[in-house]
Amino acid sequence: MARPTPELINALRKTAQSLKNGAPYQWGHMGGCNCGNLAQELTNLSKGQIHQYAMQRHGDWNEQAEDYCSTSQMPIDLLINEMLSAGLLLEDLKHLERLDDRQVLSRFPVEKRYLRHNMREDVVAYMIAWAELLEEQLLAKITLSSLQEVEFA
């Protein structure tokens, strides 16, 4: 599971809102699919740029994650590296593309856990649930002892 960072939580929420408001969505397009839309938010690259980078190598996001090399200078690897720097893990890219991370799905009622990976509404619901999960994990790390150094006047 991703590291819960404010940057990632914010990007998930913004991406979900953007999709909800009608941002271009096309599951079979590397720049307009589940990962592609999140990549747009995290990297400030366009749908077209992301797709162009991905097409320099074979495969979907799952295969791109499998073939990822941190020392490569291939544009798709640089893009993935930027996403990983925001807190994502390679496994998260695979789960996001299929909407199948068990921790995220456990936040839905049992009858609503069968999300369709290529349906905008399901992608939005998944991203919101994931952002909430990460925010809870982040807040759980904050303790009152970290605030003891603050003096109140």
Side-chain angles (χ1 to χ4, degrees), residues 81-129:
N81 191 53
E82 197 169 337
M83 295 176 78
L84 299 179
S85 294
L88 291 168
L89 302 175
L90 290 172
E91 291 301 312
D92 295 319
L93 298 177
K94 298 174 187 180
H95 289 306
L96 176 57
E97 205 52 27
R98 293 290 178 186
L99 305 182
D100 65 1
D101 184 280
R102 290 180 184 214
Q103 288 183 59
V104 176
L105 292 175
S106 71
R107 301 181 70 79
F108 292 92
V110 174
E111 67 276 5
K112 296 195 182 219
R113 290 184 186 171
Y114 300 99
L115 301 177
R116 296 157 296 174
H117 65 273
N118 59 352
M119 295 299 294
R120 176 189 301 266
E121 299 80 21
D122 288 353
V123 177
V124 168
Y126 185 92
M127 286 187 178
I128 291 169

mmCIF file of all heavy atoms in Angstrom, residues 81-129:
data_model
loop_
_atom_site.group_PDB
_atom_site.id
_atom_site.type_symbol
_atom_site.label_atom_id
_atom_site.label_comp_id
_atom_site.label_asym_id
_atom_site.label_seq_id
_atom_site.Cartn_x
_atom_site.Cartn_y
_atom_site.Cartn_z
ATOM 1 N N ASN A 81 8.508 7.166 -11.944
ATOM 2 C CA ASN A 81 9.351 7.566 -10.809
ATOM 3 C C ASN A 81 8.742 8.753 -10.072
ATOM 4 O O ASN A 81 8.754 8.811 -8.841
ATOM 5 C CB ASN A 81 10.765 7.892 -11.280
ATOM 6 C CG ASN A 81 11.716 8.055 -10.125
ATOM 7 O OD1 ASN A 81 11.824 7.176 -9.268
ATOM 8 N ND2 ASN A 81 12.403 9.186 -10.071
ATOM 9 N N GLU A 82 8.191 9.691 -10.810
ATOM 10 C CA GLU A 82 7.543 10.858 -10.196
ATOM 11 C C GLU A 82 6.319 10.426 -9.382
ATOM 12 O O GLU A 82 6.062 10.933 -8.294
ATOM 13 C CB GLU A 82 7.155 11.863 -11.283
ATOM 14 C CG GLU A 82 6.868 13.234 -10.749
ATOM 15 C CD GLU A 82 6.755 14.280 -11.854
ATOM 16 O OE1 GLU A 82 7.304 14.083 -12.956
ATOM 17 O OE2 GLU A 82 6.113 15.307 -11.590
ATOM 18 N N MET A 83 5.583 9.459 -9.907
ATOM 19 C CA MET A 83 4.416 8.948 -9.192
ATOM 20 C C MET A 83 4.840 8.208 -7.916
ATOM 21 O O MET A 83 4.199 8.352 -6.872
ATOM 22 C CB MET A 83 3.598 8.032 -10.101
ATOM 23 C CG MET A 83 2.984 8.779 -11.294
ATOM 24 S SD MET A 83 2.114 7.703 -12.446
ATOM 25 C CE MET A 83 0.583 7.443 -11.531
ATOM 26 N N LEU A 84 5.928 7.454 -8.007
ATOM 27 C CA LEU A 84 6.431 6.744 -6.833
ATOM 28 C C LEU A 84 6.930 7.728 -5.775
ATOM 29 O O LEU A 84 6.756 7.504 -4.576
ATOM 30 C CB LEU A 84 7.553 5.775 -7.230
ATOM 31 C CG LEU A 84 7.186 4.665 -8.214
ATOM 32 C CD1 LEU A 84 8.402 3.805 -8.527
ATOM 33 C CD2 LEU A 84 6.035 3.825 -7.708
ATOM 34 N N SER A 85 7.501 8.821 -6.216
ATOM 35 C CA SER A 85 7.980 9.845 -5.282
ATOM 36 C C SER A 85 6.840 10.470 -4.491
ATOM 37 O O SER A 85 7.038 10.965 -3.382
ATOM 38 C CB SER A 85 8.734 10.945 -6.037
ATOM 39 O OG SER A 85 9.912 10.423 -6.602
ATOM 40 N N ALA A 86 5.636 10.447 -5.051
ATOM 41 C CA ALA A 86 4.467 10.999 -4.359
ATOM 42 C C ALA A 86 3.928 10.041 -3.302
ATOM 43 O O ALA A 86 3.057 10.416 -2.521
ATOM 44 C CB ALA A 86 3.372 11.319 -5.367
ATOM 45 N N GLY A 87 4.443 8.813 -3.291
ATOM 46 C CA GLY A 87 4.019 7.845 -2.274
ATOM 47 C C GLY A 87 3.519 6.526 -2.814
ATOM 48 O O GLY A 87 3.309 5.579 -2.066
ATOM 49 N N LEU A 88 3.288 6.453 -4.113
ATOM 50 C CA LEU A 88 2.781 5.210 -4.698
ATOM 51 C C LEU A 88 3.845 4.128 -4.741
ATOM 52 O O LEU A 88 5.040 4.416 -4.766
ATOM 53 C CB LEU A 88 2.285 5.461 -6.121
ATOM 54 C CG LEU A 88 1.028 6.298 -6.255
ATOM 55 C CD1 LEU A 88 0.818 6.723 -7.701
ATOM 56 C CD2 LEU A 88 -0.175 5.528 -5.744
ATOM 57 N N LEU A 89 3.389 2.888 -4.769
ATOM 58 C CA LEU A 89 4.238 1.733 -5.026
ATOM 59 C C LEU A 89 3.854 1.183 -6.391
ATOM 60 O O LEU A 89 2.738 1.441 -6.878
ATOM 61 C CB LEU A 89 4.022 0.648 -3.963
ATOM 62 C CG LEU A 89 4.280 1.047 -2.514
ATOM 63 C CD1 LEU A 89 3.898 -0.099 -1.575
ATOM 64 C CD2 LEU A 89 5.732 1.438 -2.323
ATOM 65 N N LEU A 90 4.730 0.418 -7.003
ATOM 66 C CA LEU A 90 4.410 -0.156 -8.305
ATOM 67 C C LEU A 90 3.136 -0.987 -8.240
ATOM 68 O O LEU A 90 2.317 -0.956 -9.165
ATOM 69 C CB LEU A 90 5.578 -1.003 -8.821
ATOM 70 C CG LEU A 90 6.828 -0.222 -9.225
ATOM 71 C CD1 LEU A 90 7.968 -1.179 -9.537
ATOM 72 C CD2 LEU A 90 6.546 0.692 -10.418
ATOM 73 N N GLU A 91 2.941 -1.711 -7.156
ATOM 74 C CA GLU A 91 1.736 -2.523 -6.995
ATOM 75 C C GLU A 91 0.478 -1.653 -7.005
ATOM 76 O O GLU A 91 -0.583 -2.101 -7.451
ATOM 77 C CB GLU A 91 1.798 -3.343 -5.709
ATOM 78 C CG GLU A 91 2.829 -4.448 -5.738
ATOM 79 C CD GLU A 91 2.606 -5.456 -6.869
ATOM 80 O OE1 GLU A 91 1.465 -5.924 -7.034
ATOM 81 O OE2 GLU A 91 3.574 -5.759 -7.581
ATOM 82 N N ASP A 92 0.581 -0.442 -6.496
ATOM 83 C CA ASP A 92 -0.570 0.460 -6.478
ATOM 84 C C ASP A 92 -1.040 0.790 -7.890
ATOM 85 O O ASP A 92 -2.239 0.935 -8.133
ATOM 86 C CB ASP A 92 -0.243 1.758 -5.740
ATOM 87 C CG ASP A 92 0.035 1.542 -4.272
ATOM 88 O OD1 ASP A 92 -0.679 0.747 -3.639
ATOM 89 O OD2 ASP A 92 0.976 2.173 -3.761
ATOM 90 N N LEU A 93 -0.102 0.928 -8.815
ATOM 91 C CA LEU A 93 -0.478 1.209 -10.203
ATOM 92 C C LEU A 93 -1.292 0.054 -10.773
ATOM 93 O O LEU A 93 -2.297 0.258 -11.442
ATOM 94 C CB LEU A 93 0.773 1.450 -11.054
ATOM 95 C CG LEU A 93 1.644 2.640 -10.651
ATOM 96 C CD1 LEU A 93 2.881 2.715 -11.534
ATOM 97 C CD2 LEU A 93 0.868 3.938 -10.694
ATOM 98 N N LYS A 94 -0.859 -1.154 -10.473
ATOM 99 C CA LYS A 94 -1.583 -2.340 -10.956
ATOM 100 C C LYS A 94 -2.975 -2.408 -10.331
ATOM 101 O O LYS A 94 -3.962 -2.679 -11.018
ATOM 102 C CB LYS A 94 -0.798 -3.601 -10.616
ATOM 103 C CG LYS A 94 0.567 -3.666 -11.284
ATOM 104 C CD LYS A 94 1.344 -4.868 -10.783
ATOM 105 C CE LYS A 94 2.761 -4.870 -11.288
ATOM 106 N NZ LYS A 94 3.507 -6.037 -10.809
ATOM 107 N N HIS A 95 -3.050 -2.164 -9.028
ATOM 108 C CA HIS A 95 -4.341 -2.209 -8.345
ATOM 109 C C HIS A 95 -5.273 -1.100 -8.827
ATOM 110 O O HIS A 95 -6.475 -1.326 -9.002
ATOM 111 C CB HIS A 95 -4.173 -2.092 -6.826
ATOM 112 C CG HIS A 95 -3.571 -3.300 -6.195
ATOM 113 N ND1 HIS A 95 -4.081 -4.575 -6.364
ATOM 114 C CD2 HIS A 95 -2.499 -3.435 -5.375
ATOM 115 C CE1 HIS A 95 -3.346 -5.433 -5.673
ATOM 116 N NE2 HIS A 95 -2.386 -4.769 -5.074
ATOM 117 N N LEU A 96 -4.741 0.087 -9.046
ATOM 118 C CA LEU A 96 -5.572 1.197 -9.498
ATOM 119 C C LEU A 96 -6.154 0.909 -10.876
ATOM 120 O O LEU A 96 -7.317 1.192 -11.135
ATOM 121 C CB LEU A 96 -4.782 2.508 -9.513
ATOM 122 C CG LEU A 96 -5.509 3.727 -10.066
ATOM 123 C CD1 LEU A 96 -6.807 4.006 -9.316
ATOM 124 C CD2 LEU A 96 -4.592 4.949 -10.029
ATOM 125 N N GLU A 97 -5.359 0.343 -11.736
ATOM 126 C CA GLU A 97 -5.849 0.081 -13.082
ATOM 127 C C GLU A 97 -6.982 -0.950 -13.065
ATOM 128 O O GLU A 97 -7.889 -0.893 -13.877
ATOM 129 C CB GLU A 97 -4.698 -0.385 -13.974
ATOM 130 C CG GLU A 97 -4.910 -0.116 -15.422
ATOM 131 C CD GLU A 97 -5.274 1.322 -15.787
ATOM 132 O OE1 GLU A 97 -4.924 2.292 -15.076
ATOM 133 O OE2 GLU A 97 -5.942 1.488 -16.815
ATOM 134 N N ARG A 98 -6.973 -1.864 -12.103
ATOM 135 C CA ARG A 98 -8.009 -2.907 -12.013
ATOM 136 C C ARG A 98 -9.014 -2.673 -10.877
ATOM 137 O O ARG A 98 -9.955 -3.437 -10.713
ATOM 138 C CB ARG A 98 -7.348 -4.277 -11.807
ATOM 139 C CG ARG A 98 -6.553 -4.738 -12.989
ATOM 140 C CD ARG A 98 -7.452 -5.094 -14.119
ATOM 141 N NE ARG A 98 -6.663 -5.489 -15.279
ATOM 142 C CZ ARG A 98 -7.173 -5.748 -16.442
ATOM 143 N NH1 ARG A 98 -8.463 -5.655 -16.638
ATOM 144 N NH2 ARG A 98 -6.415 -6.086 -17.448
ATOM 145 N N LEU A 99 -8.779 -1.633 -10.067
ATOM 146 C CA LEU A 99 -9.640 -1.325 -8.908
ATOM 147 C C LEU A 99 -9.793 -2.550 -8.009
ATOM 148 O O LEU A 99 -10.897 -2.927 -7.631
ATOM 149 C CB LEU A 99 -11.018 -0.826 -9.363
ATOM 150 C CG LEU A 99 -11.059 0.363 -10.310
ATOM 151 C CD1 LEU A 99 -12.507 0.738 -10.615
ATOM 152 C CD2 LEU A 99 -10.283 1.548 -9.768
ATOM 153 N N ASP A 100 -8.657 -3.133 -7.616
ATOM 154 C CA ASP A 100 -8.753 -4.389 -6.886
ATOM 155 C C ASP A 100 -7.906 -4.494 -5.616
ATOM 156 O O ASP A 100 -7.672 -5.601 -5.120
ATOM 157 C CB ASP A 100 -8.436 -5.562 -7.817
ATOM 158 C CG ASP A 100 -6.991 -5.572 -8.328
ATOM 159 O OD1 ASP A 100 -6.198 -4.689 -7.962
ATOM 160 O OD2 ASP A 100 -6.672 -6.481 -9.125
ATOM 161 N N ASP A 101 -7.468 -3.376 -5.046
ATOM 162 C CA ASP A 101 -6.744 -3.454 -3.783
ATOM 163 C C ASP A 101 -7.721 -3.831 -2.669
ATOM 164 O O ASP A 101 -8.736 -3.162 -2.465
ATOM 165 C CB ASP A 101 -6.068 -2.116 -3.457
ATOM 166 C CG ASP A 101 -5.228 -2.211 -2.203
ATOM 167 O OD1 ASP A 101 -5.816 -2.135 -1.101
ATOM 168 O OD2 ASP A 101 -4.005 -2.383 -2.318
ATOM 169 N N ARG A 102 -7.418 -4.893 -1.952
ATOM 170 C CA ARG A 102 -8.340 -5.408 -0.927
ATOM 171 C C ARG A 102 -8.574 -4.426 0.209
ATOM 172 O O ARG A 102 -9.677 -4.355 0.746
ATOM 173 C CB ARG A 102 -7.829 -6.739 -0.386
ATOM 174 C CG ARG A 102 -7.943 -7.839 -1.395
ATOM 175 C CD ARG A 102 -7.442 -9.149 -0.844
ATOM 176 N NE ARG A 102 -7.482 -10.145 -1.898
ATOM 177 C CZ ARG A 102 -7.737 -11.410 -1.690
ATOM 178 N NH1 ARG A 102 -7.970 -11.843 -0.476
ATOM 179 N NH2 ARG A 102 -7.762 -12.250 -2.697
ATOM 180 N N GLN A 103 -7.537 -3.675 0.587
ATOM 181 C CA GLN A 103 -7.715 -2.697 1.670
ATOM 182 C C GLN A 103 -8.698 -1.603 1.260
ATOM 183 O O GLN A 103 -9.495 -1.153 2.073
ATOM 184 C CB GLN A 103 -6.380 -2.084 2.073
ATOM 185 C CG GLN A 103 -5.467 -3.023 2.827
ATOM 186 C CD GLN A 103 -4.206 -2.299 3.240
ATOM 187 O OE1 GLN A 103 -4.271 -1.302 3.948
ATOM 188 N NE2 GLN A 103 -3.062 -2.786 2.788
ATOM 189 N N VAL A 104 -8.614 -1.182 0.033
ATOM 190 C CA VAL A 104 -9.528 -0.143 -0.457
ATOM 191 C C VAL A 104 -10.929 -0.731 -0.589
ATOM 192 O O VAL A 104 -11.911 -0.136 -0.121
ATOM 193 C CB VAL A 104 -9.056 0.449 -1.804
ATOM 194 C CG1 VAL A 104 -10.070 1.455 -2.338
ATOM 195 C CG2 VAL A 104 -7.682 1.094 -1.656
ATOM 196 N N LEU A 105 -11.038 -1.897 -1.181
ATOM 197 C CA LEU A 105 -12.353 -2.515 -1.385
ATOM 198 C C LEU A 105 -13.057 -2.836 -0.075
ATOM 199 O O LEU A 105 -14.282 -2.816 -0.013
ATOM 200 C CB LEU A 105 -12.212 -3.783 -2.238
ATOM 201 C CG LEU A 105 -11.791 -3.546 -3.694
ATOM 202 C CD1 LEU A 105 -11.567 -4.878 -4.390
ATOM 203 C CD2 LEU A 105 -12.806 -2.701 -4.430
ATOM 204 N N SER A 106 -12.291 -3.103 0.978
ATOM 205 C CA SER A 106 -12.910 -3.436 2.264
ATOM 206 C C SER A 106 -13.673 -2.251 2.854
ATOM 207 O O SER A 106 -14.468 -2.419 3.776
ATOM 208 C CB SER A 106 -11.855 -3.933 3.252
ATOM 209 O OG SER A 106 -11.019 -2.866 3.661
ATOM 210 N N ARG A 107 -13.475 -1.079 2.321
ATOM 211 C CA ARG A 107 -14.172 0.120 2.794
ATOM 212 C C ARG A 107 -15.586 0.217 2.210
ATOM 213 O O ARG A 107 -16.369 1.056 2.644
ATOM 214 C CB ARG A 107 -13.356 1.361 2.456
ATOM 215 C CG ARG A 107 -11.955 1.301 3.091
ATOM 216 C CD ARG A 107 -11.147 2.509 2.790
ATOM 217 N NE ARG A 107 -11.642 3.680 3.466
ATOM 218 C CZ ARG A 107 -11.438 4.000 4.747
ATOM 219 N NH1 ARG A 107 -10.741 3.182 5.511
ATOM 220 N NH2 ARG A 107 -11.922 5.114 5.254
ATOM 221 N N PHE A 108 -15.884 -0.598 1.227
ATOM 222 C CA PHE A 108 -17.203 -0.612 0.596
ATOM 223 C C PHE A 108 -18.065 -1.702 1.237
ATOM 224 O O PHE A 108 -17.537 -2.720 1.684
ATOM 225 C CB PHE A 108 -17.074 -0.921 -0.908
ATOM 226 C CG PHE A 108 -16.420 0.165 -1.702
ATOM 227 C CD1 PHE A 108 -15.047 0.159 -1.918
ATOM 228 C CD2 PHE A 108 -17.164 1.198 -2.247
ATOM 229 C CE1 PHE A 108 -14.431 1.154 -2.649
ATOM 230 C CE2 PHE A 108 -16.559 2.202 -2.989
ATOM 231 C CZ PHE A 108 -15.193 2.180 -3.192
ATOM 232 N N PRO A 109 -19.384 -1.511 1.246
ATOM 233 C CA PRO A 109 -20.257 -2.601 1.682
ATOM 234 C C PRO A 109 -20.006 -3.827 0.792
ATOM 235 O O PRO A 109 -19.663 -3.678 -0.393
ATOM 236 C CB PRO A 109 -21.662 -2.054 1.460
ATOM 237 C CG PRO A 109 -21.503 -0.578 1.345
ATOM 238 C CD PRO A 109 -20.121 -0.328 0.831
ATOM 239 N N VAL A 110 -20.171 -5.008 1.346
ATOM 240 C CA VAL A 110 -19.867 -6.242 0.618
ATOM 241 C C VAL A 110 -20.513 -6.263 -0.766
ATOM 242 O O VAL A 110 -19.863 -6.616 -1.759
ATOM 243 C CB VAL A 110 -20.301 -7.484 1.441
ATOM 244 C CG1 VAL A 110 -20.139 -8.762 0.639
ATOM 245 C CG2 VAL A 110 -19.507 -7.555 2.730
ATOM 246 N N GLU A 111 -21.755 -5.845 -0.859
ATOM 247 C CA GLU A 111 -22.465 -5.909 -2.140
ATOM 248 C C GLU A 111 -21.962 -4.885 -3.161
ATOM 249 O O GLU A 111 -22.328 -4.939 -4.330
ATOM 250 C CB GLU A 111 -23.984 -5.756 -1.938
ATOM 251 C CG GLU A 111 -24.428 -4.394 -1.435
ATOM 252 C CD GLU A 111 -24.344 -4.207 0.090
ATOM 253 O OE1 GLU A 111 -23.845 -5.117 0.796
ATOM 254 O OE2 GLU A 111 -24.765 -3.142 0.557
ATOM 255 N N LYS A 112 -21.105 -3.953 -2.744
ATOM 256 C CA LYS A 112 -20.598 -2.924 -3.666
ATOM 257 C C LYS A 112 -19.099 -3.052 -3.919
ATOM 258 O O LYS A 112 -18.476 -2.139 -4.445
ATOM 259 C CB LYS A 112 -20.917 -1.536 -3.125
ATOM 260 C CG LYS A 112 -22.407 -1.287 -3.046
ATOM 261 C CD LYS A 112 -22.707 0.163 -2.873
ATOM 262 C CE LYS A 112 -24.217 0.288 -2.761
ATOM 263 N NZ LYS A 112 -24.736 1.417 -3.434
ATOM 264 N N ARG A 113 -18.518 -4.186 -3.562
ATOM 265 C CA ARG A 113 -17.068 -4.379 -3.725
ATOM 266 C C ARG A 113 -16.657 -4.846 -5.105
ATOM 267 O O ARG A 113 -15.477 -4.964 -5.392
ATOM 268 C CB ARG A 113 -16.559 -5.383 -2.686
ATOM 269 C CG ARG A 113 -16.584 -4.822 -1.297
ATOM 270 C CD ARG A 113 -15.996 -5.744 -0.296
ATOM 271 N NE ARG A 113 -16.192 -5.180 1.041
ATOM 272 C CZ ARG A 113 -15.944 -5.812 2.141
ATOM 273 N NH1 ARG A 113 -15.469 -7.034 2.124
ATOM 274 N NH2 ARG A 113 -16.166 -5.222 3.305
ATOM 275 N N TYR A 114 -17.600 -5.120 -5.950
ATOM 276 C CA TYR A 114 -17.272 -5.607 -7.290
ATOM 277 C C TYR A 114 -17.289 -4.441 -8.263
ATOM 278 O O TYR A 114 -18.228 -4.259 -9.028
ATOM 279 C CB TYR A 114 -18.238 -6.723 -7.696
ATOM 280 C CG TYR A 114 -18.158 -7.877 -6.733
ATOM 281 C CD1 TYR A 114 -19.087 -8.020 -5.714
ATOM 282 C CD2 TYR A 114 -17.110 -8.789 -6.814
ATOM 283 C CE1 TYR A 114 -18.994 -9.062 -4.808
ATOM 284 C CE2 TYR A 114 -17.005 -9.832 -5.907
ATOM 285 C CZ TYR A 114 -17.951 -9.964 -4.914
ATOM 286 O OH TYR A 114 -17.844 -10.984 -4.016
ATOM 287 N N LEU A 115 -16.235 -3.653 -8.185
ATOM 288 C CA LEU A 115 -16.136 -2.464 -9.022
ATOM 289 C C LEU A 115 -15.711 -2.842 -10.436
ATOM 290 O O LEU A 115 -14.921 -3.768 -10.635
ATOM 291 C CB LEU A 115 -15.137 -1.479 -8.422
ATOM 292 C CG LEU A 115 -15.447 -0.986 -7.008
ATOM 293 C CD1 LEU A 115 -14.335 -0.066 -6.523
ATOM 294 C CD2 LEU A 115 -16.785 -0.282 -6.952
ATOM 295 N N ARG A 116 -16.225 -2.105 -11.381
ATOM 296 C CA ARG A 116 -15.849 -2.301 -12.778
ATOM 297 C C ARG A 116 -14.687 -1.363 -13.087
ATOM 298 O O ARG A 116 -14.832 -0.148 -12.978
ATOM 299 C CB ARG A 116 -17.043 -2.031 -13.682
ATOM 300 C CG ARG A 116 -18.182 -3.035 -13.431
ATOM 301 C CD ARG A 116 -19.495 -2.494 -13.873
ATOM 302 N NE ARG A 116 -19.783 -1.317 -13.034
ATOM 303 C CZ ARG A 116 -20.806 -0.514 -13.202
ATOM 304 N NH1 ARG A 116 -21.657 -0.729 -14.158
ATOM 305 N NH2 ARG A 116 -20.993 0.526 -12.406
ATOM 306 N N HIS A 117 -13.562 -1.940 -13.458
ATOM 307 C CA HIS A 117 -12.325 -1.167 -13.624
ATOM 308 C C HIS A 117 -12.389 -0.138 -14.735
ATOM 309 O O HIS A 117 -11.583 0.778 -14.758
ATOM 310 C CB HIS A 117 -11.137 -2.112 -13.854
ATOM 311 C CG HIS A 117 -11.235 -2.888 -15.127
ATOM 312 N ND1 HIS A 117 -11.894 -4.090 -15.211
ATOM 313 C CD2 HIS A 117 -10.776 -2.626 -16.368
ATOM 314 C CE1 HIS A 117 -11.825 -4.543 -16.439
ATOM 315 N NE2 HIS A 117 -11.151 -3.675 -17.164
ATOM 316 N N ASN A 118 -13.332 -0.268 -15.638
ATOM 317 C CA ASN A 118 -13.390 0.656 -16.768
ATOM 318 C C ASN A 118 -14.635 1.543 -16.744
ATOM 319 O O ASN A 118 -15.038 2.069 -17.776
ATOM 320 C CB ASN A 118 -13.319 -0.118 -18.083
ATOM 321 C CG ASN A 118 -14.446 -1.127 -18.221
ATOM 322 O OD1 ASN A 118 -15.210 -1.369 -17.280
ATOM 323 N ND2 ASN A 118 -14.543 -1.730 -19.387
ATOM 324 N N MET A 119 -15.210 1.719 -15.558
ATOM 325 C CA MET A 119 -16.389 2.574 -15.407
ATOM 326 C C MET A 119 -16.025 3.795 -14.568
ATOM 327 O O MET A 119 -15.581 3.666 -13.421
ATOM 328 C CB MET A 119 -17.526 1.807 -14.743
ATOM 329 C CG MET A 119 -18.044 0.650 -15.588
ATOM 330 S SD MET A 119 -18.718 1.148 -17.178
ATOM 331 C CE MET A 119 -20.136 2.069 -16.672
ATOM 332 N N ARG A 120 -16.223 4.966 -15.150
ATOM 333 C CA ARG A 120 -15.865 6.229 -14.511
ATOM 334 C C ARG A 120 -16.365 6.320 -13.066
ATOM 335 O O ARG A 120 -15.612 6.693 -12.171
ATOM 336 C CB ARG A 120 -16.430 7.380 -15.340
ATOM 337 C CG ARG A 120 -16.220 8.756 -14.742
ATOM 338 C CD ARG A 120 -17.007 9.810 -15.515
ATOM 339 N NE ARG A 120 -16.632 9.860 -16.902
ATOM 340 C CZ ARG A 120 -15.704 10.703 -17.390
ATOM 341 N NH1 ARG A 120 -15.096 11.557 -16.604
ATOM 342 N NH2 ARG A 120 -15.416 10.697 -18.671
ATOM 343 N N GLU A 121 -17.635 6.006 -12.827
ATOM 344 C CA GLU A 121 -18.214 6.146 -11.482
ATOM 345 C C GLU A 121 -17.500 5.253 -10.471
ATOM 346 O O GLU A 121 -17.305 5.646 -9.321
ATOM 347 C CB GLU A 121 -19.708 5.808 -11.502
ATOM 348 C CG GLU A 121 -20.540 6.703 -12.406
ATOM 349 C CD GLU A 121 -20.462 6.332 -13.897
ATOM 350 O OE1 GLU A 121 -20.095 5.178 -14.238
ATOM 351 O OE2 GLU A 121 -20.755 7.218 -14.726
ATOM 352 N N ASP A 122 -17.125 4.052 -10.898
ATOM 353 C CA ASP A 122 -16.420 3.140 -10.001
ATOM 354 C C ASP A 122 -15.000 3.631 -9.714
ATOM 355 O O ASP A 122 -14.502 3.496 -8.604
ATOM 356 C CB ASP A 122 -16.401 1.723 -10.578
ATOM 357 C CG ASP A 122 -17.774 1.061 -10.519
ATOM 358 O OD1 ASP A 122 -18.706 1.635 -9.917
ATOM 359 O OD2 ASP A 122 -17.918 -0.048 -11.079
ATOM 360 N N VAL A 123 -14.366 4.209 -10.726
ATOM 361 C CA VAL A 123 -13.019 4.770 -10.541
ATOM 362 C C VAL A 123 -13.075 5.918 -9.539
ATOM 363 O O VAL A 123 -12.237 6.006 -8.633
ATOM 364 C CB VAL A 123 -12.414 5.236 -11.881
ATOM 365 C CG1 VAL A 123 -11.051 5.888 -11.667
ATOM 366 C CG2 VAL A 123 -12.309 4.075 -12.861
ATOM 367 N N VAL A 124 -14.053 6.772 -9.663
ATOM 368 C CA VAL A 124 -14.224 7.900 -8.743
ATOM 369 C C VAL A 124 -14.425 7.386 -7.318
ATOM 370 O O VAL A 124 -13.756 7.837 -6.380
ATOM 371 C CB VAL A 124 -15.407 8.798 -9.184
ATOM 372 C CG1 VAL A 124 -15.771 9.800 -8.094
ATOM 373 C CG2 VAL A 124 -15.067 9.512 -10.482
ATOM 374 N N ALA A 125 -15.316 6.418 -7.143
ATOM 375 C CA ALA A 125 -15.583 5.865 -5.808
ATOM 376 C C ALA A 125 -14.331 5.227 -5.213
ATOM 377 O O ALA A 125 -14.034 5.408 -4.026
ATOM 378 C CB ALA A 125 -16.718 4.841 -5.882
ATOM 379 N N TYR A 126 -13.584 4.506 -6.026
ATOM 380 C CA TYR A 126 -12.351 3.846 -5.572
ATOM 381 C C TYR A 126 -11.319 4.879 -5.120
ATOM 382 O O TYR A 126 -10.721 4.742 -4.058
ATOM 383 C CB TYR A 126 -11.799 2.981 -6.708
ATOM 384 C CG TYR A 126 -10.593 2.145 -6.355
ATOM 385 C CD1 TYR A 126 -10.748 0.846 -5.897
ATOM 386 C CD2 TYR A 126 -9.307 2.631 -6.531
ATOM 387 C CE1 TYR A 126 -9.644 0.052 -5.603
ATOM 388 C CE2 TYR A 126 -8.200 1.855 -6.238
ATOM 389 C CZ TYR A 126 -8.366 0.559 -5.775
ATOM 390 O OH TYR A 126 -7.255 -0.213 -5.476
ATOM 391 N N MET A 127 -11.125 5.916 -5.924
ATOM 392 C CA MET A 127 -10.127 6.943 -5.582
ATOM 393 C C MET A 127 -10.507 7.680 -4.299
ATOM 394 O O MET A 127 -9.638 7.984 -3.484
ATOM 395 C CB MET A 127 -9.931 7.919 -6.737
ATOM 396 C CG MET A 127 -9.153 7.340 -7.885
ATOM 397 S SD MET A 127 -8.796 8.620 -9.113
ATOM 398 C CE MET A 127 -7.835 7.681 -10.286
ATOM 399 N N ILE A 128 -11.779 7.961 -4.127
ATOM 400 C CA ILE A 128 -12.226 8.638 -2.904
ATOM 401 C C ILE A 128 -11.994 7.738 -1.697
ATOM 402 O O ILE A 128 -11.465 8.182 -0.670
ATOM 403 C CB ILE A 128 -13.707 9.067 -3.027
ATOM 404 C CG1 ILE A 128 -13.843 10.193 -4.049
ATOM 405 C CG2 ILE A 128 -14.266 9.480 -1.676
ATOM 406 C CD1 ILE A 128 -15.270 10.510 -4.443
ATOM 407 N N ALA A 129 -12.357 6.471 -1.817
ATOM 408 C CA ALA A 129 -12.156 5.531 -0.703
ATOM 409 C C ALA A 129 -10.674 5.369 -0.388
ATOM 410 O O ALA A 129 -10.281 5.307 0.785
ATOM 411 C CB ALA A 129 -12.779 4.180 -1.044
#
